[in-house]
Amino acid sequence: MKKFLAMLLAATSILGATALASCNKEEKTYVATAIESEDNEQYGLAVGKNSTNKAAILAAMNTVIAEIEIGDIVSYYEAVEANQTPSVSLTFPNLSDNTAGTLQVYTNAEFAPFEFRDNEQNIVGVDMYIMQLVAEEMNMKVNFHDIAFDAIVGKIAEEDNAIGAAGMTIYDEPKEKVDFSNPYYSTVQCIISTEDQKFNTLEQLAGKKIGVQKGTTGWKMVADAIESGVLKDTGAEVIAYDNGPVAFTALKSGKCDFVVIDELPAKKLVD
């Protein structure tokens, strides 16, 4: 009996010490820091280069982009994504009576506040609102399709009159297959890290595992830096994930050391 009691007391002491250690363990804080010396990127809507109705689609896009207040739209959907009441209001078009067909829009609903799913699992966000306005401009309805981000350019290149609306950066490589609207939003790339490693240059990521979202300019930036830039021969490694939230989860679980992604989604992830 005495031996049993001694073992029980010892086990209790171990459990108590473990619980105390768990209580004293601080939860990590993550921050998003803009990468210095990188030029601003600009988002555009995209349509296949060979689409039969490309001119009309681009004209409608550019008309809408010239008229919107992008700051108000971003603010509205930041609040919606956070389950808060927006401080601004938006006017939503009624597309139900439009008669000129249906726009097919491809996105990746993992990039809040530009595209995400609301509490009813509807695809919503800045880009979805803009595309509703484009559909109204063209007397059309609109369908949204959620696919992998790195598949969007190929999809809209092969499907006639399909549109990409997914926080897509305007740069040369996708221009081989698609044409972009005028820019409607400017952004920078950010490094997500723990607060004690608040880095703001790619050089500081030498030798580290860097998480990115597949198909993004963040992915291209890091891959180029490793292949022939400031991270060449440093031992740095790029790890591509399906979307930003998956990359951030990998960071928190220790599968990568940092994440590089666009500014607004980065800030939403660390909030």
Side-chain angles (χ1 to χ4, degrees):
M1 177 62 76
K2 288 182 179 179
K3 185 176 181 181
F4 173 76
L5 289 173
M7 292 174 63
L8 182 61
L9 286 171
T12 303
S13 298
I14 292 170
L15 288 171
T18 302
L20 182 61
S22 296
C23 290
N24 289 335
K25 186 178 180 180
E26 294 184 4
E27 187 174 340
K28 291 181 179 179
T29 300
Y30 294 88
V31 295
T33 308
I35 298 177
E36 288 186 355
S37 75
E38 292 295 331
D39 294 334
N40 281 11
E41 299 176 4
Q42 294 184 311
Y43 291 167
L45 306 169
V47 61
K49 192 172 282 290
N50 297 318
S51 291
T52 56
N53 203 27
K54 181 181 70 174
I57 292 171
L58 287 171
M61 289 174 175
N62 291 333
T63 295
V64 168
I65 289 168
E67 295 174 348
I68 59 175
E69 293 290 342
I70 191 64
D72 287 349
I73 303 172
V74 169
S75 174
Y76 181 92
Y77 282 105
E78 284 183 315
V80 170
E81 197 273 337
N83 290 316
Q84 298 172 353
T85 302
S87 60
V88 297
S89 60
L90 299 179
T91 301
F92 290 83
N94 179 5
L95 306 179
S96 61
D97 295 330
N98 290 358
T99 58
T102 302
L103 290 174
Q104 305 300 329
V105 178
Y106 292 88
T107 192
N108 177 246
E110 299 282 356
F111 202 64
F114 290 92
E115 30 272 331
F116 59 98
R117 290 187 181 272
D118 63 15
N119 292 333
E120 285 73 46
Q121 294 302 301
N122 299 309
I123 303 172
V124 299
V126 174
D127 288 325
M128 280 61 261
Y129 178 72
I130 293 174
M131 284 310 309
Q132 289 179 67
L133 299 181
V134 172
E136 176 69 5
E137 179 73 17
M138 299 184 72
N139 189 33
M140 298 180 74
K141 300 178 177 66
V142 62
N143 283 339
F144 297 115
H145 305 275
D146 186 10
I147 65 174
F149 182 81
D150 60 344
I152 292 175
V153 168
K155 183 65 176 176
I156 65 176
E158 68 183 23
E159 183 176 328
D160 193 31
N161 298 324
I163 294 169
M168 299 172 68
T169 299
I170 301 171
Y171 69 106
D172 288 341
E173 186 176 324
K175 285 182 179 179
E176 296 174 4
K177 297 181 178 180
V178 304
D179 284 344
F180 283 100
S181 68
N182 293 336
Y184 63 91
Y185 188 79
S186 294
T187 188
V188 294
Q189 292 294 314
C190 282
I191 298 170
I192 300 180
S193 66
T194 54
E195 195 169 33
D196 60 333
Q197 292 186 306
K198 192 175 180 179
F199 295 158
N200 59 4
T201 67
L202 287 180
E203 290 93 329
Q204 292 169 300
L205 308 187
K208 302 299 184 180
K209 294 179 179 179
I210 307 164
V212 296
Q213 179 179 349
K214 292 178 183 177
T216 62
T217 47
W219 182 19
K220 184 178 187 303
M221 176 194 295
V222 174
D224 287 350
I226 291 172
E227 182 180 352
S228 58
V230 296
L231 295 177
K232 185 178 181 180
D233 299 327
T234 67
E237 178 184 354
V238 61
I239 306 175
Y241 297 96
D242 287 340
N243 53 61
V246 172
F248 186 51
T249 298
L251 171 62
K252 292 190 290 184
S253 63
K255 294 178 181 178
C256 63
D257 302 307
F258 300 91
V259 169
V260 173
I261 197 169
D262 293 26
E263 183 180 33
L264 270 186
K267 289 181 176 180
K268 297 301 293 184
L269 288 171
V270 303
D271 276 352

